[in-house]
Structures are given as C-alpha cells and as structure tokens.
Amino acid sequence: MIRFFDLFFSLLGLVIGWPLFLLLAILGFFDTGSPIFRQSRVGRGQKPFVLVKFRTMKPDTASVASHLADASAITPFGRFLRRTKLDELPQLWNVLKGEMSLVGPRPCLFNQQELISERSEQGVFVARPGITGLAQVNKIDMSTPKLLAETDKQMLDRLTLVDYFRYIFLTVLGKGSGDRVRRKGME
C-alpha cells in the first residue's frame, strides 16, 4: 500500500510541480551554474543509485556527509532551498523510479562505512531509502550512526500508513533538521 502512495504522490508532485521545478532550476542556474545535484548513494539491498536534488552548495564542494560539510559552501539560494526543503523535490523522480520511498531511512554515501555497518546490523537495507522519516522529524542526523540506524530500524518495524503520512506532514511543516550542515567549530 505504501508503494501505491509513493507512486501516486511522486507522480502527482512531478506533474503539478513542474512549473516550480523549472523556476527553481532557473534560479539555481544563476546561483551556481549547475542547479541539479547528482550523487551515488546506498540504496535498497546496498545497491547504488543516483540521487537527484537541487544544488545547495558550491559545485566544487567535497562529497562528504552533510554534517561533515563546511557551512560556508552553502549558497544563499541553497540556504533557502534547505530551510524550505525544496532542495528535496527532485527526489520525487527517485521515488517514481522505485529507488526511494517518500518515507524511509535517508540514503547515505558509500564512504559512510560506520553508518553502513550499523544499518547492516539492524537490517535497514531491506527497505527503500526515503526522503524523510522518523529520524529526520526527530532531528537525528548521520553524525550519530548507531542512533540513526536504531531509529531507522524502529521506524521500519512499526511503520503504519498513519506514520507514513505523519512523517510527510511534519516534514512539510518544517519539523526536524535531518541532514544539517554544521558551522565551523561547532560540534
């Protein structure tokens, strides 16, 4: 049933949202010269997939987990995209293709070995990664791999349709910070 809602809402979002996507892409082009960000991430069954987002950082930024990135790399327009969660909209394409779900564990990078190990132990990779989930609405990010993997497992074990819609609703309302970037000197 969740896959049905994933397909329905991702297709609906892409069809209705295309004017907004176009506007954000044009503004992103003027901001960075490269509005779309693509990155290989760990997917279901630990298989790679290419995640797409609107670019929020300068194009030459190192490919590291958000909590390890330098906050000064975020552009002013990127800050707006992150604050409003609009940078996540292109992931609707990943959801439509079946690589992601609207709700699930946030996909990590292949160089995040500790998180991959913790998630493997917890059996988290049986699920599609998601745009949002229990960890994101509770401000748990990838800087705490063990806690994140345990929270992901808890969500997957107890996920109901009510939870699915609640996590989406809370994310749209701006609850949680998910993949936050920390300012230099702040840990």
Side-chain angles (χ1 to χ4, degrees):
M1 189 55 119
I2 287 177
R3 184 66 188 139
F4 168 79
F5 286 114
D6 279 347
L7 286 170
F8 178 77
F9 289 122
S10 62
L11 185 58
L12 184 69
L14 289 166
V15 169
I16 291 174
W18 76 264
L20 177 61
F21 283 63
L22 182 61
L23 174 64
L24 294 174
I26 291 168
L27 293 172
F29 180 79
F30 287 111
D31 185 48
T32 63
S34 177
I36 302 297
F37 174 75
R38 295 173 188 84
Q39 188 177 55
S40 182
R41 297 283 181 106
V42 181
R44 186 180 198 179
Q46 295 189 44
K47 293 187 175 131
F49 76 100
V50 177
L51 176 127
V52 291
K53 293 175 77 164
F54 284 118
R55 184 177 299 279
T56 61
M57 297 185 183
K58 298 170 187 166
D60 59 349
T61 303
S63 184
V64 296
S66 291
H67 68 280
L68 299 174
D70 184 353
S72 67
I74 300 175
T75 67
F77 182 60
R79 213 173 328 285
F80 165 77
L81 290 174
R82 282 175 171 260
R83 190 174 56 251
T84 59
K85 310 272 193 295
L86 291 172
D87 62 318
E88 309 283 356
L89 287 178
Q91 290 173 68
L92 292 175
W93 177 247
N94 293 113
V95 174
L96 186 66
K97 288 172 53 180
E99 298 165 331
M100 291 182 70
S101 175
L102 292 176
V103 173
R106 283 297 295 155
C108 60
L109 297 166
F110 280 93
N111 63 6
Q112 292 179 277
Q113 291 302 316
E114 187 179 354
L115 179 55
I116 292 170
S117 175
E118 293 288 345
R119 281 181 166 171
S120 291
E121 265 184 49
Q122 296 288 335
V124 171
F125 289 115
V126 300
R128 287 181 179 90
I131 295 175
T132 192
L134 178 61
Q136 287 67 43
V137 300
N138 285 294
K139 301 181 181 183
I140 300 169
D141 68 10
M142 295 184 180
S143 66
T144 54
K146 185 171 180 57
L147 176 61
L148 179 58
E150 289 169 352
T151 305
D152 290 339
K153 175 67 169 162
Q154 177 187 348
M155 174 188 63
L156 294 174
D157 286 347
R158 300 177 184 164
L159 188 63
T160 65
L161 274 179
V162 171
D163 291 330
Y164 175 89
F165 286 108
R166 185 167 55 94
Y167 299 146
I168 293 169
F169 183 70
L170 289 171
T171 300
V172 169
L173 291 179
K175 171 87 169 124
S177 56
D179 302 328
R180 64 182 172 253
V181 176
R182 297 177 187 207
R183 299 219 178 272
K184 279 258 192 241
M186 297 179 79
E187 292 300 320

